[in-house]
Amino acid sequence: MKKIIKFHKAFLACAILSLLVIGFGLFGFFTKGLNFSIDFKPGLIEEVRIAPAAMEVTYSGEANVTLDVSNTAIDVVISGVGAENRTQTFTFGQNNTVSLMADALNTVEGVKATVLGSATADSYGLYVDSASTTRLSDDAKVLLYVPVNGAATIDQVRSAVASVSDAQVKELGTEDARSFQIRVGVSDEGSSEELLSSIANGLNTAFGAEKVAVVKTDFVASSFSQTLARKSILLALATMLLIWLYATIRFHWDFALGAIIALLHDVLIMLAFITWTQTEFSTTTLAGVLTIVGYSINATVVILDRVRENMKLVNTKDFNDILDKSLTDTLNRSIITTVTTLFAAIALLVFTTGSINDFAKVLTVGLISGCYSSMFISMGFISFMRRHWEPGENANRVRPRKQTARKFAEQ
């Protein structure tokens, strides 16, 4: 017969330990505060690419000529008084190298395309600096870029914008199409012009003005960041409510409340970790927290299912015996599920950086907390609520009526 582990003896100690850790986390929350990312505060977001210019395009003539670069082609738009308004499209599929694309552009009257880099480079990755004008003239040239592996590292970009206060940098895209997102907190859109100038000066000094291309620039207003924060809180609360309703319908209200207490425990533990490590709290971090909420309730429901089954099979007046047997029965499953999921989380923790690394940190802490709370916090609460439990007809009552003494008195 399988040995039953006396889990209930650790319920009180685990509750005290959790209260201490949560209290420590709340103290840090009110003294240090969370390290909110620009997702939850107003600020500037600029995405840049670093690569040497592959082609220079100019125009000499009376018409107005602009270049529109998309993911599949380059459009040359010709307009103006006395000109034939038309658009000529040169696809990357038909002109698959920089040299072939330059030759195609040179077929447009007045347009001159000069290859500056590798002529055999793939034209499919050509992009333009969105911050500069794409109107062609003798004085205003348009530079086209091709992504180059290793043109810049995230550490080099961070060093280039180190003089900009509160600047945060993360990598985007794949190795052959790497870009860098620079985030800076700013109180109003008017002051963003100075920040853009400071960022541009830092990047141009570090890499050269003709190697830096701005992909896009966005300003996140305070009203948007406040709305996002409010919706995130409502999302978390709605998730808790739905889980409570589900657990109440499937089990019993004290089981459901125990599951919710375990979820709140996990959220507060992760909040303590995020606060004291000053991990950036972004939408990615919030996704990690909600992921653990789903994982934790799943682990708790598995144990509750076994508890409900053992309530019918185990003949005892001590509800802790049922909890001990249920936890023992599901112990292997709880450990194996947690450990295998931890392998993926730790791999992300070791081999990634930026927001994904923050996600992995929260996931790792949450997985451990979720397994622990499902076994000790949730079951500890249910044990406290069921301390007057009686088997048989009163099995579903939290505190059954003590009818035995009444019947004895009547006799």
Side-chain angles (χ1 to χ4, degrees):
M1 185 175 180
K2 189 175 182 179
K3 181 180 178 181
I4 306 298
I5 303 173
K6 300 296 183 181
F7 286 96
H8 75 273
K9 293 183 177 180
F11 287 164
L12 180 60
C14 289
I16 294 173
L17 175 63
S18 293
L19 287 173
L20 291 174
V21 174
I22 291 172
F24 185 62
L26 291 176
F27 173 77
F29 176 78
F30 289 110
T31 56
K32 295 170 65 70
L34 291 176
N35 178 24
F36 286 106
S37 75
I38 202 168
D39 294 334
F40 296 99
K41 61 184 180 181
L44 177 74
I45 303 177
E46 185 172 67
E47 185 178 341
V48 299
R49 284 184 171 183
I50 311 297
M55 186 191 307
E56 177 184 290
V57 185
T58 58
Y59 171 75
S60 58
E62 299 299 326
N64 296 324
V65 179
T66 59
L67 287 185
D68 290 335
V69 183
S70 67
N71 292 330
T72 58
I74 296 178
D75 294 328
V76 180
V77 182
I78 304 172
S79 62
V81 179
E84 181 184 352
N85 295 335
R86 68 185 191 277
T87 299
Q88 291 185 243
T89 301
F90 304 96
T91 63
F92 296 133
Q94 294 176 330
N95 308 280
N96 58 3
T97 65
V98 172
S99 177
L100 289 176
M101 181 59 75
D103 292 341
L105 292 173
N106 283 327
T107 62
V108 180
E109 184 180 356
V111 172
K112 181 181 180 181
T114 305
V115 177
L116 301 178
S118 173
T120 58
D122 190 353
S123 65
Y124 187 77
L126 281 170
Y127 61 91
V128 66
D129 182 359
S130 64
S132 62
T133 179
T134 55
R135 181 176 177 178
L136 300 176
S137 68
D138 287 329
D139 298 326
K141 61 184 178 182
V142 173
L143 295 177
L144 296 174
Y145 301 84
V146 172
V148 177
N149 289 343
T153 65
I154 189 170
D155 290 332
Q156 290 174 328
V157 176
R158 283 173 177 161
S159 177
V161 298
S163 60
V164 180
S165 178
D166 198 33
Q168 302 168 2
V169 182
K170 69 176 181 179
E171 292 178 315
L172 300 175
T174 59
E175 284 293 335
D176 56 350
R178 178 74 67 219
S179 63
F180 301 92
Q181 187 182 76
I182 303 172
R183 300 180 174 194
V184 185
V186 58
S187 57
D188 58 84
E189 193 167 3
S191 60
S192 63
E193 295 298 327
E194 297 180 6
L195 287 174
L196 287 174
S197 178
S198 298
I199 293 172
N201 290 337
L203 294 174
N204 293 342
T205 301
F207 303 105
E210 294 193 348
K211 289 187 177 181
V212 180
V214 177
V215 179
K216 63 179 179 179
T217 302
D218 294 316
F219 178 78
V220 179
S222 58
S223 57
F224 175 81
S225 58
Q226 291 171 2
T227 300
L228 182 60
R230 183 169 59 254
K231 289 183 176 180
S232 299
I233 294 172
L234 291 175
L235 174 64
L237 293 176
T239 302
M240 294 284 189
L241 176 62
L242 291 174
I243 290 174
W244 178 78
L245 288 174
Y246 162 77
T248 300
I249 294 171
R250 181 167 180 177
F251 301 105
H252 194 258
W253 72 264
D254 60 323
F255 281 27
L257 191 54
I260 292 299
I261 288 175
L263 293 184
L264 289 173
H265 167 276
D266 296 336
V267 171
L268 291 173
I269 291 294
M270 286 185 284
L271 182 67
F273 172 79
I274 293 170
T275 299
W276 285 105
T277 59
Q278 285 295 284
T279 299
E280 184 181 67
F281 191 83
S282 62
T283 51
T284 305
T285 309
L286 178 62
V289 173
L290 294 178
T291 299
I292 293 303
V293 168
Y295 171 87
S296 180
I297 191 62
N298 179 68
T300 304
V301 165
V302 169
I303 299 174
L304 292 179
D305 264 330
R306 186 55 61 91
V307 172
R308 183 174 58 179
E309 180 181 343
N310 286 334
M311 286 171 64
K312 304 173 184 177
L313 301 177
V314 179
N315 185 19
T316 178
K317 289 189 176 182
D318 188 352
F319 197 76
N320 285 332
D321 293 339
I322 296 176
L323 293 179
D324 289 340
K325 185 177 188 315
S326 302
L327 288 169
T328 302
D329 292 343
T330 57
L331 179 61
N332 287 339
R333 184 265 178 200
S334 299
I335 293 177
I336 291 172
T337 303
T338 301
V339 171
T340 52
T341 312
L342 271 173
F343 286 154
I346 292 174
L348 288 174
L349 187 63
V350 173
F351 296 109
T352 63
T353 58
S355 59
I356 298 300
N357 187 264
D358 294 337
F359 175 83
K361 290 178 186 177
V362 173
L363 206 62
T364 301
V365 173
L367 286 170
I368 298 171
S369 175
C371 181
Y372 160 82
S373 66
S374 296
M375 296 176 63
F376 293 101
I377 303 304
S378 179
M379 297 303 114
F381 174 81
I382 295 171
S383 172
F384 174 77
M385 296 301 295
R386 297 263 175 167
R387 63 189 184 279
H388 297 306
W389 180 84
E390 290 181 7
E393 61 177 318
N394 294 317
N396 287 327
R397 295 184 180 276
V398 179
R399 293 185 178 85
R401 292 188 296 268
K402 297 183 179 180
Q403 299 175 342
T404 306
R406 185 183 306 169
K407 289 181 180 180
F408 180 78
E410 291 174 354
Q411 293 174 355

